[in-house]
Amino acid sequence: MKGNSQNLVLRSYLLATLTFIIWGTSFAIGKFVTPSPLSPFNITFFRTVIAALTLFIIIALKGQIKEWFVVFRQEFLKYFIIGVFFYGCGFILEYWALARTEASNQAMLSNTMTFWVVLINFFVFKQQIKKNFIVGLILAFIGVLLILLTDEFNFSSATIIGDVGTLIAYIIWGMYSAFTAKMNEKYNPLFSTLSIFISSLILLFPMALMQGGFQEITQMSSINWLALLYLGIICGGIAFWIYNIALSNEQISSEYIVIFSLLNPIIGVVTGIILLGEGLVIREVIGIIIILSAIVLANRQPNNVDSIEIISAKL
């Protein structure tokens, strides 16, 4: 029993790592299709449509359409809230904010998501916070700073609106991870992922019409289509599915999965070396070592669990 439990935990960690590796490639692939011919918002809509179709086909091949629809109808309101207000609004606000700040600022602020998940789990779901996790999270963020802090990084009055918007966007993404984890513990993660995608289209579809998305897609080349299909099938459908599988493990609080998002700066460095021929500086090497060590520390399970007790069960 214990061995099986450890295997499930290891599987969740491996799936989380794979998810963020896949998402790390989306930045480079996305350059083939956005901001031209597709705007950042419209690429979100079309990749979500492709992702939903991908998962619907998988469910159909597994002969589970009726089972999925029963769950979707039964929990429609919850999936609607997660799909529209967390997934849909998260993407929209993220892209809105990006137009009003520096890309380096958003890259830095995006790494605060784990902090928000910790706070949501603490105050909403009354979950304990282990001290070694907090120490590991802080160290990992220091490693992120070492990698991402460059001359381009600049908080100023000119970027404050975009910076605040980015912060709110990643609070929303933190809510997505925390609340979706609870749904995935109860239902098949494949069902939950498709339900969230379909629900989000209630918001994304009319906005795509207003943003001229169907005019933009007619201008796409074969290279653009290949990039979009990769973003929709792999980075959208498959990655969100396996991310939700990782979140579904009841033995692991969602912050232990989300902390793997701090691997993204490392993935960005490696991708830059492989695809763009960029060099590796000592500051980045130190940052990589700190992040990897910090994630191991954060996920360490000591025999005597030292945790920050919840202030009160009545909170």
Side-chain angles (χ1 to χ4, degrees):
M1 181 69 74
K2 185 176 180 181
N4 185 52
S5 174
Q6 291 176 340
N7 288 338
L8 289 174
V9 169
L10 178 59
R11 186 190 72 161
S12 293
Y13 289 158
L14 291 175
L15 289 175
T17 302
L18 177 60
T19 297
F20 290 110
I21 289 174
I22 292 173
W23 282 342
T25 66
S26 67
F27 299 104
I29 301 298
K31 292 180 180 179
F32 288 97
V33 70
T34 189
S36 177
L38 293 181
S39 68
F41 174 80
N42 287 326
I43 195 176
T44 299
F45 167 71
F46 286 114
R47 68 183 282 183
T48 301
V49 170
I50 295 170
L53 287 172
T54 300
L55 297 189
F56 185 83
I57 290 171
I58 292 173
I59 290 176
L61 291 174
K62 291 166 69 72
Q64 297 178 326
I65 294 293
K66 289 184 179 180
E67 294 175 50
W68 161 72
F69 188 72
V70 168
V71 172
F72 180 57
R73 184 176 59 182
Q74 179 180 336
E75 301 289 357
F76 174 76
L77 181 59
K78 293 178 182 178
Y79 287 129
F80 176 82
I81 292 172
I82 295 174
V84 171
F85 295 102
F86 298 164
Y87 177 91
C89 290
F91 265 124
I92 291 170
L93 185 55
E94 182 181 340
Y95 285 130
W96 178 88
L98 182 58
R100 292 161 176 80
T101 187
E102 300 293 337
S104 56
N105 288 24
Q106 186 163 93
M108 179 66 68
L109 292 170
S110 69
N111 289 283
T112 64
M113 183 173 70
T114 308
F115 290 99
W116 309 126
V117 173
V118 169
L119 292 175
I120 292 166
N121 283 339
F122 183 79
F123 288 108
V124 177
F125 299 114
K126 315 303 182 186
Q127 293 179 358
Q128 294 180 338
I129 309 171
K130 296 177 182 176
K131 288 182 180 179
N132 64 289
F133 181 86
I134 295 298
V135 173
L137 178 57
I138 293 172
L139 287 175
F141 196 74
I142 292 173
V144 168
L145 289 174
L146 286 173
I147 293 176
L148 295 182
L149 277 180
T150 65
D151 293 337
E152 297 176 0
F153 184 76
N154 177 38
F155 284 122
S156 68
S157 58
T159 65
I160 187 64
I161 293 177
D163 295 334
V164 171
T166 295
L167 210 55
I168 296 173
Y170 280 93
I171 292 175
I172 293 173
W173 278 117
M175 295 172 72
Y176 169 90
S177 294
F179 284 92
T180 301
K182 298 303 177 184
M183 295 297 289
N184 290 329
E185 290 175 5
K186 187 176 181 181
Y187 299 109
N188 186 330
L190 178 58
F191 295 175
S192 292
T193 312
L194 176 59
S195 299
I196 290 168
F197 285 155
I198 290 178
S199 299
S200 72
L201 293 175
I202 296 172
L203 171 68
L204 297 177
F205 177 71
M207 294 196 70
L209 286 175
M210 292 187 290
Q211 294 289 324
F214 293 93
Q215 286 75 34
E216 290 180 357
I217 202 168
T218 61
Q219 304 170 20
M220 289 178 53
S221 67
S222 57
I223 296 297
N224 298 147
W225 272 107
L226 286 174
L228 180 59
L229 289 172
Y230 175 82
L231 292 171
I233 296 171
I234 306 300
C235 296
I238 302 302
F240 270 95
W241 177 21
I242 63 176
Y243 180 59
N244 284 339
I245 293 174
L247 287 171
S248 69
N249 192 330
E250 296 181 33
Q251 303 170 62
I252 310 173
S253 184
S254 53
E255 67 263 23
Y256 288 89
I257 298 301
V258 177
I259 196 173
F260 283 87
S261 66
L262 297 175
L263 292 172
N264 275 339
I266 298 177
I267 297 166
V269 169
V270 174
T271 303
I273 293 172
I274 295 173
L275 298 181
L276 305 177
E278 296 176 349
L280 185 66
V281 300
I282 187 65
R283 167 177 52 81
E284 292 173 331
V285 173
I286 296 172
I288 289 171
I289 293 172
I290 291 176
I291 291 172
L292 294 176
S293 301
I295 290 177
V296 172
L297 171 63
N299 283 280
R300 183 175 61 87
Q301 301 293 333
N303 292 326
N304 296 318
V305 177
D306 189 10
S307 50
I308 301 173
E309 297 295 336
I310 297 177
I311 297 173
S312 171
K314 296 181 180 179
L315 276 180

